[in-house]
Amino acid sequence: MHLLKLILRNTLRHKLRTLLTVLGLLVAILSFGLLQTVVDAWYSGSKAAAPDRLITRNSVSLVVPLPLHYRDKIRGIDGVRSVAGANWFAGVYQEPKNFFPQFAIDALPYLAMYPEYRIPEDQLRDFLRDRKGAVVGRKLANTYGFKVGDLVPLKGTIFAGNWEFVVRAIYDGATPTTDTSQFFFHWEYLNESVRARAPQRANHVGVFVVQVSDVARAAEISKAIDAQFGNSAAETLTETEQAFQIGFVKQTEAIVIAIRIVSFVVIFIILAVMANTMAMTARERMSEYATLKALGFGPGFLGSLIFGESLAIAVTGAALGVILTFPVADWFARQMGTLFPVFEISTNTLWLQAGCAVVVGVAAAVLPAHRAARVRIVDGLRAVG
Amino acid sequence: MVPVLEDISFDIATGDFVALMGPSGSGKSTLLNLIAGIDRPDSGELRVGGTDIMTLGEAELADWRSRNVGFIFQFYNLMPVLTAFENVELPLLLTGLPARARREHVDMALAMVGLADRMEHYPSELSGGQQQRVAIARAIITDPAILVADEPTGDLDRASAEDILALMDRMNTELGKTIIMVTHDPYAAKRARSVRHLEKGVLTD
């Protein structure tokens, strides 16, 4: 009790210094949490992937399409439960900065494979009935103010021309980590228009999403699909949905690694600041430590005082940093619009923030505590604070 | 390496009040520190109250100090974040006394030094003389046999110094404490029962 009282009063002794150090920790822990969340957001697609879904694409490149008739052949392979084609559309809504993912899909089988997209039954019915209908995610709808019945014009880039869609359904995510920033419409609508404008590009899809009946057989089925189209004009590459998503992330992995490094550099910098603060504090109080030793208090008591003060500052800064991470991440996600479909602070990030704070608090106190414990009483009494 | 003290041999009787005098650098504070067990000689024997403190390990020595020696420093050395009460209570935290008993002891010690009405004051709210009185209360709180005082009046004006010396005199005569005081001040030394002079690390009388 007396030890805690002494720690608390020592912590508040130089209020400005403590306040500035706590502020530094707050900013560091907040930045660390935010950067870790950005990294998590980068990988959110792969984390949300279902193990029973495979992606089949052209083995040459993702931009080279596959013939539509592959769909029936894939469906016939043992272990395949369902197949749906999908095309990346890349249309522009009003202006290029308004980016959001758009997919032309085989609506019924595709949506059935993604139970995490929760669509009200009546809206789903309306969407399926309307050739120009579109399903938009809740986050996307909120970002651009889309409502059921709204007309959404998109300017095609890969598929030239002006396209119009009617929002018929808005889906919610089954979990907070479900991507609700996407825009889906009927592949048939796309194909009809392509057939009229560029017939040679018709009846092709970007990828097939394949659902397997037994997750344990996913690798075997992937091989069977690729074997089916070996030595053909359009050979396939089939992988799990997670591997497919990671493949995307890997294209920008250098950025992710840089962000990770920066997040730990921030922690290292605050560790240096904190260590300096504690060293300064201990140096100023050396004669007090010597007095305590003269009175009979041992090195353990002095160590507890210094570690306690360092941890008190670190934990206070970290607690405020963690608390502030939530509103700041929320604000950041809003500023980023649909760039990060999922921007959720993970439990892992919170533990990392807490862990970093403890490491900073302990590491910053090691040398000052060692010095205080080792100082000769007569030398300490002569020290000028 | 220059020896600070050499061939020092003297006894202090229980209940004595000794003043150690000498010019700066004569080794009087070093001698006081050795007696108080906060410094160690390179060789020789140092027996205090029947205990050869040179044979004690660090922890044992700390324990011995807490039970046998009360410290009075020139600059008081109070904890600035603790009140007068809490400063005096500090040494008692090592004794395992319950809170109620500690309070009684501290109340009595502060009353003895005339600061019963200042127990909730922080050192910064007290004058130099009052701070030194708190330090004396802290020094006697565990009822040690020996009080060591290093220039106890060195930072005080004449009136405050007189108060402190009178208080130390009371500790010696009424409580029977053995007091060893280092001082430059002949006026302060006059309050001691005996005066020893040091010159270049050697006792001259």
Side-chain angles (χ1 to χ4, degrees):
Chain A
M1 192 61 200
H2 287 80
L3 180 67
L4 287 179
K5 188 162 62 181
L6 207 48
I7 288 171
L8 182 67
R9 291 193 195 165
N10 272 336
T11 305
L12 298 173
R13 201 152 147 183
H14 291 287
K15 291 188 177 63
L16 182 64
R17 186 197 292 171
T18 302
L19 179 72
L20 291 174
T21 312
V22 165
L23 271 178
L25 268 148
L26 184 159
V27 171
I29 294 293
L30 171 62
S31 308
F32 179 81
L34 213 51
L35 291 170
Q36 287 294 322
T37 306
V38 168
V39 172
D40 284 347
W42 226 288
Y43 286 100
S44 64
S46 63
K47 283 178 186 161
D52 66 344
R53 291 195 293 255
L54 306 176
I55 304 291
T56 299
R57 63 176 175 91
N58 193 303
S59 65
V60 174
S61 164
L62 191 58
V63 298
V64 182
L66 291 170
L68 177 63
H69 66 81
Y70 278 20
R71 183 173 59 190
D72 295 332
K73 288 186 177 173
I74 294 171
R75 198 181 285 137
I77 291 171
D78 180 39
V80 171
R81 177 181 285 170
S82 178
V83 184
N87 270 75
W88 175 253
F89 185 68
V92 173
Y93 176 65
Q94 293 175 340
E95 46 186 321
K97 74 177 176 67
N98 295 338
F99 169 82
F100 53 87
Q102 304 131 18
F103 294 97
I105 56 170
D106 274 345
L108 253 181
Y110 187 97
L111 293 173
M113 275 190 260
Y114 287 86
E116 60 265 42
Y117 302 155
R118 300 274 168 83
I119 308 172
E121 254 179 54
D122 55 333
Q123 292 184 13
L124 177 62
R125 233 179 358 252
D126 292 347
F127 166 65
L128 292 173
R129 275 197 211 118
D130 186 352
R131 198 173 59 92
K132 286 187 168 184
V135 180
V136 301
R138 178 69 61 191
K139 184 173 182 178
L140 179 62
N142 290 344
T143 304
Y144 295 105
F146 296 153
K147 295 185 297 295
V148 171
D150 282 359
L151 191 72
V152 178
L154 294 179
K155 187 172 172 55
T157 53
I158 302 171
F159 303 98
N162 292 318
W163 301 74
E164 283 189 347
F165 303 93
V166 180
V167 176
R168 289 297 177 200
I170 294 174
Y171 73 89
D172 287 295
T175 68
T177 55
T178 304
D179 181 358
T180 59
S181 67
Q182 301 176 91
F183 183 100
F184 298 109
F185 61 94
H186 294 284
W187 180 84
E188 285 297 341
Y189 175 45
L190 174 75
N191 198 45
E192 281 169 21
S193 305
V194 169
R195 194 182 292 134
R197 296 173 193 183
Q200 73 284 3
R201 293 180 65 191
N203 295 325
H204 280 81
V205 296
V207 296
F208 288 107
V209 183
V210 180
Q211 191 174 38
V212 297
S213 49
D214 181 2
V215 174
R217 292 184 58 208
E220 173 205 332
I221 295 166
S222 298
K223 278 184 190 160
I225 294 170
D226 293 342
Q228 174 80 45
F229 305 109
N231 299 315
S232 69
E235 291 189 352
T236 60
L237 173 66
T238 305
E239 56 196 342
T240 61
E241 188 182 26
Q242 187 172 43
F244 178 76
Q245 297 284 4
I246 287 174
F248 268 112
V249 177
K250 279 208 178 295
Q251 292 170 14
T252 51
E253 201 170 30
I255 299 171
V256 180
I257 290 170
I259 293 172
R260 268 196 210 281
I261 291 171
V262 168
S263 72
F264 283 101
V265 166
V266 168
I267 294 297
F268 183 77
I269 291 169
I270 197 62
L271 170 61
V273 171
M274 184 78 187
N276 184 48
T277 302
M278 289 314 298
M280 207 152 52
T281 299
R283 199 165 46 241
E284 284 171 2
R285 297 181 193 159
M286 207 47 87
S287 78
E288 290 171 32
Y289 299 144
T291 304
L292 286 169
K293 281 177 105 172
L295 295 179
F297 288 91
F301 184 81
L302 302 184
S304 303
L305 275 183
I306 296 169
F307 275 104
E309 185 172 345
S310 184
L311 279 170
I313 293 173
V315 168
T316 305
L320 293 171
V322 167
I323 290 167
L324 277 178
T325 304
F326 288 92
V328 172
D330 195 42
W331 172 83
F332 184 79
R334 270 186 275 117
Q335 299 307 307
M336 292 295 105
T338 51
L339 183 62
F340 292 119
V342 177
F343 200 78
E344 290 285 319
I345 302 160
S346 68
T347 314
N348 196 35
T349 296
L350 297 177
W351 278 115
L352 269 174
Q353 286 178 300
C356 285
V358 172
V359 168
V360 167
V362 170
V366 169
L367 266 181
H370 178 71
R371 276 198 203 123
R374 293 288 302 272
V375 71
R376 290 174 68 230
I377 296 173
V378 286
D379 294 335
L381 289 173
R382 275 197 291 265
V384 179
Chain B
M1 199 164 70
V2 179
V4 181
L5 296 171
E6 215 165 3
D7 293 331
I8 295 269
S9 178
F10 79 116
D11 296 317
I12 298 171
T14 303
D16 203 352
F17 184 169
V18 182
L20 289 174
M21 295 194 74
S24 294
S26 60
K28 53 190 187 303
S29 288
T30 303
L31 181 58
L32 189 78
N33 292 338
L34 291 172
I35 295 167
I38 59 175
D39 203 355
R40 287 177 185 273
D42 296 323
S43 61
E45 190 181 18
L46 193 58
R47 196 168 282 280
V48 183
T51 305
D52 182 0
I53 62 171
M54 276 187 72
T55 62
L56 301 178
E58 280 303 320
E60 289 169 315
L61 192 57
D63 184 50
W64 176 84
R65 276 196 309 269
S66 69
R67 283 183 288 106
N68 294 286
V69 185
F71 291 89
I72 303 166
F73 302 100
Q74 180 178 358
F75 298 109
Y76 333 124
N77 289 43
L78 300 175
M79 299 296 128
V81 292
L82 298 181
T83 62
F85 181 94
E86 291 162 341
N87 264 291
V88 177
E89 189 187 21
L90 259 183
L92 289 181
L93 300 178
L94 296 167
T95 62
L97 270 183
R100 179 192 285 261
R102 287 202 305 268
R103 170 159 278 284
E104 284 169 7
H105 278 67
V106 175
D107 285 348
M108 201 185 300
L110 281 171
M112 196 175 284
V113 298
L115 287 175
D117 57 339
R118 295 281 193 275
M119 57 175 65
E120 295 309 323
H121 286 57
Y122 286 91
S124 60
E125 297 164 344
L126 299 171
S127 69
Q130 288 171 327
Q131 287 187 59
Q132 195 60 299
R133 281 196 272 162
V134 174
I136 291 172
R138 182 180 67 184
I140 60 167
I141 192 71
T142 53
D143 195 24
I146 307 162
L147 294 183
V148 293
D150 194 354
E151 303 278 9
T153 58
D155 197 45
L156 300 175
D157 58 48
R158 177 54 63 201
S160 299
E162 180 55 39
D163 282 349
I164 293 303
L165 290 167
L167 194 54
M168 288 175 68
D169 194 44
R170 274 182 61 206
M171 298 300 143
N172 177 243
T173 53
E174 292 176 20
L175 302 180
K177 303 293 177 199
T178 304
I179 300 178
I180 307 154
M181 173 177 71
V182 162
T183 184
H184 271 105
D185 183 2
Y187 179 80
K190 273 187 197 162
R191 302 299 288 254
R193 291 195 200 167
S194 59
V195 181
R196 306 300 300 264
H197 286 89
L198 271 150
E199 194 87 41
K200 292 183 181 170
V202 177
L203 273 174
T204 55
D205 63 353

